[in-house]
Amino acid sequence: PHRLRLAQVSLQARQGDVVYGYLGWRNPDRSMRVQVGRQLVLSGAPRYTMIDGVFGELMLPADLRAQAYGGTAVFAGFDHALTAPAVGARLAWQPAMRGHLALAFQDVSGLSLATRRTVGADFSARLPAGVALAGSTAWDLLGRGMQDARLDLS
């Protein structure tokens, strides 16, 4: 089925910007989907990146989920001159209702302060008695070292 998501609009001094809005397609057995437009993509632990572009996801055997995207990263604010090419991919093992383990890569280039090339890993697990454990880390491949590391128990 084809779906159309309506855009959310931020207004400030009679100006606005689309927060997200995309056209999406998912095949009948829900093993593949494609989205085109402005969207938030999970670009690695624990980052989301807003892009104008294409996102694809494929469900693979053995509870694997492959995701890839490409387009232009869009940075917050109303100045659309602040954009940069962005590509990324994520591979996750996600057994039903037990958690996940994932590796991700992202490259955003073109602006000196916004340029990043990151490898990330994240996981979650459901433990007995309703306890959840989750963690993530992101490593900058451009020499800036570890960007983020988290461990949550709830």
Side-chain angles (χ1 to χ4, degrees), residues 41-55:
V41 293
L42 181 61
S43 56
R47 302 181 188 283
Y48 285 89
T49 299
M50 183 182 303
I51 67 164
D52 288 341
V54 171
F55 168 86

Side-chain angles (χ1 to χ4, degrees), residues 47-97:
R47 302 181 188 283
Y48 285 89
T49 299
M50 183 182 303
I51 67 164
D52 288 341
V54 171
F55 168 86
E57 180 177 59
L58 185 60
M59 302 299 287
L60 302 169
D63 297 321
L64 291 175
R65 177 181 298 204
Q67 300 170 330
Y69 61 89
T72 302
V74 181
F75 298 96
F78 293 92
D79 182 358
H80 283 96
L82 297 177
T83 59
V87 295
R90 185 170 187 261
L91 182 63
W93 176 63
Q94 191 167 354
M97 302 302 289

Side-chain angles (χ1 to χ4, degrees), residues 21-124:
Y22 57 86
L23 294 175
W25 172 85
R26 186 182 303 251
N27 68 338
D29 69 359
R30 302 179 71 80
S31 63
M32 180 174 39
R33 71 180 168 131
V34 176
Q35 296 174 180
V36 178
R38 178 160 295 177
Q39 53 201 305
L40 290 172
V41 293
L42 181 61
S43 56
R47 302 181 188 283
Y48 285 89
T49 299
M50 183 182 303
I51 67 164
D52 288 341
V54 171
F55 168 86
E57 180 177 59
L58 185 60
M59 302 299 287
L60 302 169
D63 297 321
L64 291 175
R65 177 181 298 204
Q67 300 170 330
Y69 61 89
T72 302
V74 181
F75 298 96
F78 293 92
D79 182 358
H80 283 96
L82 297 177
T83 59
V87 295
R90 185 170 187 261
L91 182 63
W93 176 63
Q94 191 167 354
M97 302 302 289
R98 292 192 299 261
H100 78 278
L101 177 63
L103 295 173
F105 170 78
Q106 179 188 54
D107 186 294
V108 177
S109 56
L111 300 170
S112 60
L113 293 176
T115 296
R116 61 182 182 255
R117 190 165 297 130
T118 306
V119 171
D122 58 280
F123 77 94
S124 67

